[in-house]
Structure formats: C-alpha cells, structure tokens
Amino acid sequence: MAAVENRYTLREFVEQTQQRDRGEGFFEMESPRILEVNLKSNFAWTKMGSMISYLGNMKFEREGMFDKGLGGFFKKAVTGEGARLTKVSGTGKVYLADFGKKIQILRLENQEIVVNANDVLAFEDSVTWDIKMMKRISSMLAGGLFQMTLRGTGMVAITTHYEPLTLVVTPDQPVYTDPNATVAWSGNLQPNFKTDISFRTLIGRSSGESFQMEFIGNGFVVVQPFEEVYHVDG
C-alpha cells in the first residue's frame, strides 16, 4: 500500500522529467521532442518561435531568411515562422521544440543536405546555409515553398511528424515522393516535378496524387508519415 501511495508525487514527477546533462556536446536530446543547445560564447541559428526555455545569458536576434537572395515581392508575399531564423548567442542552455514534432540530429562532415525550410530546427554557426524557392509553381501549390541547403561541418537538427523513413536513390531505382511528405534529401540530388492532372485526380486529393517529386541518381530522400500543408498569406 505504501508503494502505491508514493506514486504520482511531485517529487517523483520532478525526478522523472527534470533536465539532465548527458555530456553529448553542442546539441543534446532532452527528449525525442525537445532539443538542448549548449552555448559557450558562440551562437546557433534556430527556427523562429521554437525556443521554449533557456538558462544563462542569451541574446536573440531575428533574421529574415528572405533577406538571403530573394526579392522584395517574396518578402511581402510570404509570411510565417517556418520561413525565418533566430540567431541565439551567449552562454548557457537553450531548449527548442516545434509543435511536438520529433527531432533528428545530424552531424555534417563536409557534406550537404537539402531540407524543407519549415523542418529546420537549428544548426551550428559553422554550417553555411542558403534558401531557395522550388523552381516550378506547381511545387509551391503542392507543398513547402522553400528549401534550405545546409553544407559544411557541424550539427544540424531537423524535425519530422512521427518516425521518418529514409529511401536510398540509385541510378536504376529512382524514388518518387509526395511533396507534402518530403522532409530532406542529399545535396547532390536535384528533384524533378511530375504532374498527373486528370479528372480523377482533381476529384480526389490534390497533393501527392497530382504532384510528385522525382529523385534520380545516387543519394537518399527522407519522408514522413504526414502530409504537411503550408499556407501563403498575401
């Protein structure tokens, strides 16, 4: 009886959920959905709006991602936290999350990966980045508006709805994906967009069934079991 009475106490709750230093370095997984960033007089880029808590002396500076090579039209036409970054600097710990999505930490070693801009949670200052709009207007209607290229050496954290699936692309085995479910792909791949507009597809769903991304070559593609739809505000 005593063991039952000791369950669900505040002490037990705090012990089970309290922050723990795991000594994993710049990025640490506090839970599958919470990322800890350890700063020591350096800085990291984070998704705007993703900070849920911090310890120490921190400075947050918002940076418009559209200031990196996009014209004024798109700066005015496209809004949303998924398209902006925050520069976090100082000494201490920052905790990040994004609507309860699962977090994946990737270590780039002089490598390049392309990620749906909305799925980038954070990356080290040693990683260079660029953002571009997908080439065809059909891709804008089908899924994420922008893709971010991350290259160099350093830590990157991306998010997915539920467990991701990575598909290997080979010259004799191309991969086709729904743009709304596509999270990332290796930097050497250049996706093509295929359309299958017919009376039947127009009656049904209008994302993956009508628009597909085609990956040909050598590399990989990351998809999630969720079709994420983005909205454009004019």
Side-chain angles (χ1 to χ4, degrees), residues 43-82:
F43 73 89
W45 291 105
T46 66
K47 181 177 181 178
M48 192 176 76
S50 64
M51 187 276 291
I52 59 173
S53 182
Y54 69 90
L55 307 173
N57 185 19
M58 297 292 172
K59 182 179 180 181
F60 299 85
E61 300 174 88
R62 293 185 176 182
E63 178 77 9
M65 287 171 66
F66 304 124
D67 294 337
K68 199 155 179 111
L70 293 178
F73 170 80
F74 293 113
K75 295 179 186 179
K76 295 179 180 179
V78 184
T79 60
E81 291 185 351

Side-chain angles (χ1 to χ4, degrees), residues 140-158:
M140 183 173 68
L141 298 176
L145 284 169
F146 295 94
Q147 59 192 35
M148 185 184 294
T149 301
L150 302 166
R151 62 174 63 90
T153 298
M155 304 294 286
V156 174
I158 66 174

Side-chain angles (χ1 to χ4, degrees), residues 14-129:
V14 171
E15 288 177 349
Q16 290 181 351
T17 61
Q18 69 180 348
Q19 178 268 337
R20 291 176 173 82
D21 288 319
R22 295 175 171 83
E24 297 175 357
F26 189 71
F27 283 174
E28 290 190 17
M29 295 292 296
E30 277 299 315
S31 79
R33 294 170 175 82
I34 298 178
L35 177 71
E36 177 184 283
V37 182
N38 294 291
L39 294 173
K40 298 179 180 179
S41 299
N42 54 351
F43 73 89
W45 291 105
T46 66
K47 181 177 181 178
M48 192 176 76
S50 64
M51 187 276 291
I52 59 173
S53 182
Y54 69 90
L55 307 173
N57 185 19
M58 297 292 172
K59 182 179 180 181
F60 299 85
E61 300 174 88
R62 293 185 176 182
E63 178 77 9
M65 287 171 66
F66 304 124
D67 294 337
K68 199 155 179 111
L70 293 178
F73 170 80
F74 293 113
K75 295 179 186 179
K76 295 179 180 179
V78 184
T79 60
E81 291 185 351
R84 294 187 181 276
L85 292 174
T86 298
K87 180 180 177 181
V88 184
S89 58
T91 302
K93 301 177 183 294
V94 181
Y95 297 94
L96 307 176
D98 187 18
F99 292 98
K101 294 166 68 175
K102 294 206 69 174
I103 299 169
Q104 315 293 331
I105 297 177
L106 312 173
R107 182 188 297 277
L108 300 184
E109 297 177 345
N110 195 28
Q111 295 166 305
E112 179 178 306
I113 188 172
V114 183
V115 186
N116 185 319
N118 191 59
D119 297 321
V120 176
L121 182 63
F123 54 93
E124 277 191 86
D125 61 333
S126 59
V127 175
T128 61
W129 60 276

Side-chain angles (χ1 to χ4, degrees), residues 2 19 25 66 81 95 117 119 137-138 142 168-169 188 227 230-231:
Q19 178 268 337
F66 304 124
E81 291 185 351
Y95 297 94
D119 297 321
I137 192 70
S138 62
V168 176
V169 182
N188 59 302
E227 292 183 276
Y230 308 93
H231 301 281

